Amino acid sequence: MPDPVLISEVGPRDGLQSIDRVMPLEAKIDWITAEAAAGVREIEVGSFVNYRAMPQMADTAALVEAACRIDGLAVAVLVPNLTGARAALKSGAHKLSLPLSASETHSQRNVNRSHAQVLEEIAQIRAAVDAVPEETRPHFEVGIATAFGCSIEGAVPEAKVVQLAEAALAAGAAEVGLSDTTGYANPAMIRARIRAVRAAVGDKLTGVHLHNTRGLGLANALAALDEGIRTLDASLGGLGGCPAAPGASGNIVTEDLAFMLDAMGFETGIDLDRLARTREILARALPGEPLYGFLADAGVPLGHGSQTQDAA
Ligand code: ZN
């Protein structure tokens, strides 16, 4: 039996929040509709943040409503705090993800809160989530941000990441993920930190969120897969980066990750050709914006399907 892997598309949130331009709601809906039709089963469509600071995310509630009409799609959103979580609960999103930065300085800059304050808010969000009737109650997870290093503090101790993962679960998160927010991770570090966190929290560690900033994205993804991780975030066209840091790219590229998994015999449910074609929507809606990745240019190799069958 092929081993299933969930690719969680985060481009509409992580990608779009890191570029200045605001993608129109209609184009976002076209994007997520096309990706879902290509077989992507989970999409983080936006975040419930302060829209004055981040106008790219101002239509998140409308986008959640549209996305929830797509059959079989898990609709995820990022929430920075209790206020955002309340808005997310009202929107009907299926999954709430809250970032807890291992670097306390990054936590202050990112969500304006200390570790203790974020943990307190996780407990309050848990209570708000539990007040939702069970049939429609969303999943609540915490992503340990800057889990492999911080561009403000530098090195982040492994013990700190383990301690925060335990604390987030104790406060009420259903599961935790490890996020390489800054693109500092390497495969050896990925293996070591997944093992360390797993030793403390077991299978409550479910996913990784990787950036391709220094070109190690797919190598890191493979290391995580080898360690048994089966949920990987990725962004179509590797959309993202930082306007202030030329050459900085976004998340690992959804198309290339899907190709690697498919070629290795993992089951993603994704049609590679259809997925590659969804890039046209991005190219049209964001003319001139760099899109990354290799599969879309090179195409699926001849005989790819038969190789997959051999591997499986
Ligand atoms: Zn990210």
Side-chain angles (χ1 to χ4, degrees), residues 2-311:
D3 195 354
V5 173
L6 177 68
I7 295 184
S8 182
E9 169 65 49
V10 296
R13 195 276 302 168
D14 204 327
L16 291 181
Q17 77 172 24
S18 28
I19 61 176
D20 287 334
R21 274 186 286 179
V22 178
M23 187 186 269
L25 177 62
E26 286 311 312
K28 290 185 183 179
I29 293 173
D30 285 351
W31 175 5
I32 62 174
T33 304
E35 252 197 272
V40 173
R41 296 185 276 231
E42 179 175 293
I43 303 182
E44 191 170 74
V45 300
S47 66
F48 286 100
V49 287
N50 177 352
Y51 301 134
R52 261 182 294 247
M54 213 175 269
Q56 304 95 314
M57 298 289 111
D59 56 10
T60 296
L63 192 52
V64 169
E65 199 192 322
C68 284
R69 284 197 289 265
I70 301 173
D71 218 24
L73 179 70
V75 180
V77 292
L78 187 133
V79 298
N81 51 39
L82 181 61
T83 308
R86 287 204 176 109
L89 291 176
K90 220 173 116 189
S91 78
H94 305 135
K95 185 171 174 182
L96 278 56
S97 180
L98 179 129
L100 168 60
S101 284
S103 152
E104 193 143 23
T105 318
H106 182 265
S107 184
Q108 290 286 2
R109 295 233 189 130
N110 193 37
V111 296
N112 201 24
R113 282 160 174 78
S114 68
H115 285 156
Q117 287 170 313
V118 176
L119 289 166
E120 173 59 36
E121 226 150 338
I122 289 171
Q124 292 167 345
I125 292 169
R126 175 82 263 160
V129 168
D130 284 346
V132 175
E134 213 175 332
E135 319 83 71
T136 53
R137 189 177 300 156
H139 194 70
F140 173 40
E141 67 163 44
V142 166
I144 309 294
T146 66
F148 302 91
C150 170
S151 48
I152 310 163
E153 283 190 7
V156 168
E158 184 180 279
K160 177 54 90 182
V161 175
V162 173
Q163 180 212 325
L164 287 173
E166 287 179 302
L169 291 166
E175 58 187 72
V176 290
L178 297 181
S179 299
D180 184 21
T181 315
T182 52
Y184 277 28
N186 63 69
M189 202 185 209
I190 293 274
R191 288 179 203 285
R193 297 205 168 193
I194 288 172
R195 285 180 193 184
V197 174
R198 274 263 161 84
V201 308
D203 61 5
K204 297 282 183 194
L205 170 63
T206 53
V208 291
H209 173 101
L210 303 168
H211 281 254
N212 198 36
T213 318
R214 290 171 179 80
L216 299 188
L218 282 189
N220 290 337
L222 183 58
L225 283 164
D226 284 346
E227 291 301 320
I229 294 293
R230 290 294 178 267
T231 301
L232 295 151
D233 289 359
S235 155
L236 191 74
L239 191 69
C242 175
S249 60
N251 298 95
I252 54 173
V253 177
T254 306
E255 306 90 300
D256 292 358
L257 175 65
F259 168 62
M260 182 179 85
L261 292 169
D262 205 45
M264 292 174 70
F266 289 104
E267 199 276 313
T268 64
I270 292 173
D271 179 319
L272 294 175
D273 290 310
R274 285 187 82 168
L275 181 69
R277 286 200 299 274
T278 59
R279 282 166 73 102
E280 291 160 19
I281 295 170
L282 285 192
R284 271 198 307 273
L286 301 168
E289 193 64 40
L291 295 180
Y292 303 90
F294 295 93
L295 183 80
D297 288 339
V300 175
L302 194 62
H304 170 74
S306 53
Q307 285 168 349
T308 307
Q309 278 160 19
D310 292 347

